[in-house]
Amino acid sequence: MTSKTYRQTLNEWRQERDKTIRQENGWLSLAGLYWLKLGKNQFGSDLKCEVQLPARVPAVVGYLEYNGKSVSLRTIDGHKVYVNDKHTDFAILQPDISENPSFIKLEDVCLVVIQRGNRLGVRMWDNQREERRSFPARAWYDIDEQYRIPATFTPYERPKMAYFPDITGEKSEFPVEGYLSFEFGGNHYQLDINKEDDGTLFIRFWDPTSKDETYPTGRYLIADVEADGKIFIDFNRSYSPPCAFTDFATCVFAPEQNHLDFRVQAGELYNKL
């Protein structure tokens, strides 16, 4: 990998990251998060609705009924919505953690039921939000190749369950399949990873730059695994969690064991607006 090719590839990746948050139903379209109460939760533009939609939507479109286990949708007054592109006035909704989540669409608005622990809520995207166009471009440290560090993956004999703090102040439990170990500044470090369904090694980490330059609760990173099996932790590719761009994301942050003691001056910066 030549330095020029590396820099070109990395800059293209950064540009793509900026496009991704602006796309339809991207993070900058996210405009609401409503936790459901038991029973009927009305949705529409009326201020009395439990699920508040933009003013261009009818006052009350219908309701989402939560029975403690599942959520069903029913529209009223002849309204119909699209659920997974099918025009309907009734549906049993599958949450976002299922293989086939139920996406509700109306008036350029998209809704989905989300499940976080024992709670069910509704996430809303408004694709007419001005933020899709006006939000500043993502900012990054200058590329510094010393932060592309060889690493070794060590799997645990069996995945262990670990608690990760989230934006709600609670802790979510995730399986940790192993850790990446590396050397930096003459010291040895290791970071627990979550192995994604596609085999990628996903890292949540915190470092002291979070106090003044990067996102306060830490950043995300996917390890580079090359064709020959070599693994690199490239902090130049570390990026802010979705909560940096919207108040309505439900981010999970770095566990205590993934707090580093050196400043990682690479990857994405954070400027609170």
Side-chain angles (χ1 to χ4, degrees), residues 43-49 51-61:
F43 65 99
S45 60
D46 192 298
L47 295 177
K48 295 179 181 178
C49 287
V51 178
Q52 184 74 52
L53 304 186
R56 64 182 181 275
V57 174
V60 180
V61 179

Side-chain angles (χ1 to χ4, degrees), residues 6-30:
Y6 169 69
R7 288 175 175 270
Q8 286 178 336
T9 301
L10 186 52
N11 280 323
E12 288 172 1
W13 175 85
R14 289 178 172 185
Q15 291 170 9
E16 187 60 33
R17 299 295 306 181
D18 192 61
K19 290 179 182 177
T20 299
I21 62 170
R22 300 175 196 280
Q23 67 188 10
E24 183 174 333
N25 297 335
W27 291 114
L28 290 177
S29 299
L30 197 58

Side-chain angles (χ1 to χ4, degrees), residues 110-128:
C110 182
L111 306 170
V112 71
V113 173
I114 68 169
Q115 183 173 338
R116 297 295 181 269
N118 295 321
R119 295 199 298 173
L120 290 180
V122 175
R123 171 173 283 169
M124 178 186 73
W125 293 268
D126 177 4
N127 287 298
Q128 293 188 23

Side-chain angles (χ1 to χ4, degrees), residues 54 62 76:
I76 59 175

Side-chain angles (χ1 to χ4, degrees), residues 24-140:
E24 183 174 333
N25 297 335
W27 291 114
L28 290 177
S29 299
L30 197 58
L33 175 61
Y34 307 94
W35 298 107
L36 296 175
K37 66 179 184 180
L38 287 172
K40 294 180 179 179
N41 299 262
Q42 289 189 322
F43 65 99
S45 60
D46 192 298
L47 295 177
K48 295 179 181 178
C49 287
E50 284 82 6
V51 178
Q52 184 74 52
L53 304 186
R56 64 182 181 275
V57 174
V60 180
V61 179
Y63 59 85
L64 303 170
E65 187 160 11
Y66 177 37
N67 64 10
K69 294 183 179 179
S70 62
V71 180
S72 60
L73 172 147
R74 176 78 71 179
T75 64
I76 59 175
D77 297 334
H79 295 304
K80 284 193 173 184
V81 299
Y82 288 90
V83 177
N84 289 350
D85 298 324
K86 293 183 179 179
H87 212 196
T88 187
D89 57 9
F90 174 78
I92 303 295
L93 303 176
Q94 300 300 314
D96 65 330
I97 63 171
S98 67
E99 290 186 6
N100 186 32
S102 301
F103 290 97
I104 307 161
K105 294 182 180 179
L106 70 161
E107 302 284 350
D108 216 13
V109 170
C110 182
L111 306 170
V112 71
V113 173
I114 68 169
Q115 183 173 338
R116 297 295 181 269
N118 295 321
R119 295 199 298 173
L120 290 180
V122 175
R123 171 173 283 169
M124 178 186 73
W125 293 268
D126 177 4
N127 287 298
Q128 293 188 23
R129 288 190 86 209
E130 172 60 28
E131 285 84 346
R132 289 182 67 190
R133 293 164 288 278
S134 64
F135 195 87
R138 298 171 79 158
W140 307 85

Side-chain angles (χ1 to χ4, degrees), residues 203-266:
I203 307 163
R204 297 176 178 92
F205 75 94
W206 181 95
D207 75 280
T209 66
S210 291
K211 297 176 181 178
D212 52 12
E213 293 181 335
T214 61
Y215 194 70
T217 52
R219 289 175 286 170
Y220 295 169
L221 178 61
I222 294 174
D224 289 346
V225 181
E226 298 190 338
D228 59 4
K230 291 181 180 177
I231 300 173
F232 291 85
I233 295 176
D234 189 351
F235 287 111
N236 291 292
R237 289 180 179 264
S238 59
Y239 59 94
S240 299
C243 292
F245 313 109
T246 176
D247 292 331
F248 306 110
T250 54
C251 300
V252 175
F253 303 124
E256 195 69 32
Q257 65 269 28
N258 280 10
H259 285 210
L260 299 171
D261 63 5
F262 65 92
R263 291 177 66 84
V264 180
Q265 292 182 298

